[in-house]
Amino acid sequence: MLSDHAVFFAFLAYRYLRLIVNVVAFLLIRPIPLPEHPQLTPKDVTVVISSLGLGKDRDELWDTVQGILATEPLQVILVTIDENLEQVKRMVKSLATPKVRVMSVAQPNKRRQMVQAIPEIRTSITIFADDDVKWPRTLLPWMLAPLEDQQYGGVGTNQRLRRAEDPTILQRIWGFLGAMYLLRRNFDCAACNYMDGGLPCLSGRTVAYRTKILSDDAFIYGFTHEEWNSEYQLNADDDNFITRWLVSHDYKIAFQYHRQAEVETTLEDNPKFLKQCARWSRSNWRSNITSMFVERHIWRQQPWSTYAVHLTTLTHWALLWDVCLLYFCPKDRWVFIPVVALMSTSKWIKFVGHFIRFPMDVLLLPVLVLFGYFHGVIKLYAGCTLHVTAWGSRDGADTNDADRMIHLTQADRDTSAEFKALLRSTQ
């Protein structure tokens, strides 16, 4: 029978092995370099932006479209909702460029907006972008570099928060937490991609795919008929679905961690940030459960990423881990002090670059630690409310929220089974 000390050190290793290895991987990772003679150019790219086009978002949308046009893609397709179609058309007309095309759907739903645009794409590469991102002019060559290799199906980039101008103290705190969320995500994606080609998810804020993947009939059907828990049709979590599709169809995934491929974005700088966290957490629960226990491809193809990011949905509860490790830690100072040092270092090691860039943010480190503990409550709440798909943080986004989680009838299940059988017979 294992001794108490053996059990303690086993749990300690499970808790911190991924951090130590990922820190080393993060230091070693390099982006796929730009080819000397690229076969793909910005003229091979269509950018699809799904947007509501409402209220204060119009200024962000204008800036986003202008920034994307500066990178010279062949076309930009802007998909809004019927209610705001005319106002978006007026905005696009003021841009005075034939490169931007406007389409619309009846109700706000990102999957439907994306699918609306796919048949109109004539380029070999499609990039999906949110309507609040800021691209560097150098972005497209870095996103296209991995796709020179036909084995790659999708490419993500690192992201950082666009810092608010003259924020209040509370806005600065919320903004700091948002910035740390993005940096932690960059770290996990870069490290895991280096280790086994996996990552948590290709974020839909800006992501490139081969158009032939998106236009495939099987993909379109799966994308518009995803099932959750064998009871619902899920029309949320679009980026998670596409990431899993690439894995299940043996495409490689690249994550271009480079300053010239860094996309700026915005997050809530008020208590609505908590609603964003809950939405992200629900998405992680649903997708990681599907990856690990329904589709199961990641266990074989991405074993490190499975341990380092997917399993954490079930096993990572910061406060519980810290309390238990401290309680069961041998009280010998040669053990206790290094353990405490390791636990303390784990709270900031992923963010060293940020603190070098913005040294005054070190003062907010205690807020980050406390929020990390509180996030366990958010995650637990999210895990108990997986039927909820509301944004809760954006005006107009939840007008037709019921369409994001539709209860399946037996007829729906029968039709789905027949279509899947037909697809298998034609492959």
Side-chain angles (χ1 to χ4, degrees):
M1 188 173 180
L2 292 175
S3 67
D4 290 345
H5 285 183
V7 172
F8 166 77
F9 283 111
F11 278 99
L12 184 71
Y14 178 83
R15 175 81 165 90
Y16 290 108
L17 176 64
R18 66 173 174 267
L19 174 67
I20 295 169
V21 173
N22 277 356
V23 167
V24 175
F26 185 76
L27 295 174
L28 293 175
I29 192 171
R30 299 292 183 272
I32 294 175
L34 302 182
E36 290 186 12
H37 305 290
Q39 299 298 309
L40 295 172
T41 72
K43 301 305 179 187
D44 296 300
V45 173
T46 296
V47 182
V48 177
I49 306 171
S50 300
S51 175
L52 296 178
L54 286 172
K56 67 183 183 66
D57 294 335
R58 279 180 293 186
D59 292 336
E60 286 182 342
L61 180 59
W62 171 274
D63 294 340
T64 295
V65 175
Q66 289 276 48
I68 289 174
L69 287 172
T71 65
E72 301 184 343
L74 181 70
Q75 186 180 33
V76 176
I77 300 178
L78 180 54
V79 189
T80 185
I81 57 177
D82 292 347
E83 179 183 346
N84 298 311
L85 178 60
E86 292 307 316
Q87 70 171 3
V88 173
K89 281 185 174 180
R90 287 194 295 271
M91 184 206 77
V92 169
K93 186 176 181 180
S94 67
L95 292 170
T97 174
K99 283 190 172 185
V100 183
R101 179 177 177 182
V102 182
M103 306 176 71
S104 68
V105 296
Q107 300 290 344
N109 184 281
K110 193 172 180 182
R111 288 205 194 202
R112 292 176 182 172
Q113 288 172 273
M114 294 161 72
V115 169
Q116 182 83 348
I118 289 172
E120 308 303 318
I121 298 171
R122 300 292 178 263
T123 56
S124 60
I125 305 299
T126 299
I127 295 182
F128 292 119
D130 279 357
D131 61 0
D132 62 348
V133 295
K134 181 179 180 181
W135 285 12
R137 287 177 177 267
T138 52
L139 179 67
L140 288 187
W142 286 100
M143 294 196 76
L144 293 174
L147 296 169
E148 296 282 337
D149 183 343
Q150 291 294 320
Q151 295 182 79
Y152 282 91
V155 181
T157 70
N158 56 307
Q159 304 162 3
R160 71 181 177 92
L161 186 73
R162 190 182 311 162
R163 291 171 74 92
E165 298 180 5
D166 300 320
T168 64
I169 293 177
L170 287 178
Q171 284 178 318
R172 178 161 185 160
I173 291 173
W174 290 116
F176 171 74
L177 293 175
M180 296 302 101
Y181 163 79
L182 293 175
L183 291 173
R184 183 184 295 108
R185 192 183 181 288
N186 290 341
F187 177 90
D188 290 340
C189 287
C192 289
N193 199 245
Y194 177 84
M195 291 297 295
D196 61 10
L199 39 63
C201 171
L202 280 170
S203 170
R205 293 185 181 91
T206 293
V207 59
Y209 298 108
R210 294 193 185 279
T211 303
K212 67 178 183 180
I213 298 173
L214 306 176
S215 59
D216 179 70
D217 289 341
F219 171 84
I220 294 292
Y221 184 85
F223 191 58
T224 54
H225 293 81
E226 181 182 357
E227 295 180 10
W228 163 247
N229 199 29
S230 301
E231 188 176 354
Y232 299 97
Q233 178 180 312
L234 179 64
N235 288 317
D237 312 341
D238 52 277
D239 45 9
N240 282 290
F241 177 90
I242 306 179
T243 303
R244 295 198 312 272
W245 184 273
L246 295 181
V247 174
S248 66
H249 288 72
D250 295 319
Y251 282 102
K252 289 184 177 181
I253 296 171
F255 187 78
Q256 291 290 71
Y257 189 84
H258 192 279
R259 181 61 63 85
Q260 292 185 352
E262 186 174 71
V263 173
E264 288 188 13
T265 188
T266 60
L267 297 175
E268 295 291 345
D269 57 2
N270 53 61
K272 287 184 178 180
F273 177 71
L274 300 178
K275 294 183 178 181
Q276 287 185 313
C277 289
R279 177 168 59 86
W280 297 328
S281 187
R282 289 190 191 101
S283 183
N284 287 338
W285 274 104
R286 288 189 292 256
S287 185
N288 289 345
I289 288 173
T290 300
S291 292
M292 291 188 291
F293 305 118
V294 179
E295 298 174 353
R296 301 191 297 276
H297 304 286
I298 58 173
W299 296 98
R300 174 179 55 86
Q301 296 175 226
Q302 302 170 356
W304 177 260
S305 297
T306 303
Y307 156 67
V309 292
H310 296 291
L311 273 172
T312 58
T313 298
L314 303 177
T315 64
H316 182 66
W317 306 89
L319 182 59
L320 181 62
W321 272 101
D322 286 1
V323 169
C324 289
L325 287 176
L326 288 175
Y327 181 80
F328 291 106
C329 180
K331 298 308 182 279
D332 185 312
R333 64 174 181 169
W334 298 109
V335 177
F336 189 79
I337 292 177
V339 168
V340 171
L342 176 60
M343 294 172 65
S344 301
T345 302
S346 70
K347 308 300 183 186
W348 54 263
I349 191 67
K350 298 179 182 180
F351 314 113
V352 171
H354 177 86
F355 291 133
I356 292 174
R357 193 173 183 179
F358 304 105
M360 290 300 293
D361 281 0
V362 172
L363 299 175
L364 295 175
L365 186 57
V367 176
L368 178 64
V369 175
L370 292 174
F371 184 78
Y373 292 143
F374 177 70
H375 190 270
V377 178
I378 297 175
K379 189 169 84 167
L380 180 61
Y381 169 72
C384 295
T385 55
L386 295 182
H387 61 285
V388 177
T389 55
W391 280 56
S393 60
R394 188 168 186 178
D395 294 339
D398 297 323
T399 302
N400 225 43
D401 180 56
D403 280 354
R404 298 197 188 108
M405 188 80 81
I406 303 172
H407 200 283
L408 291 171
T409 65
Q410 187 57 48
D412 293 329
R413 296 189 183 93
D414 292 344
T415 301
S416 177
E418 291 173 4
F419 187 84
K420 290 176 182 177
L422 178 62
L423 285 175
R424 284 193 295 270
S425 68
T426 59
Q427 289 177 350

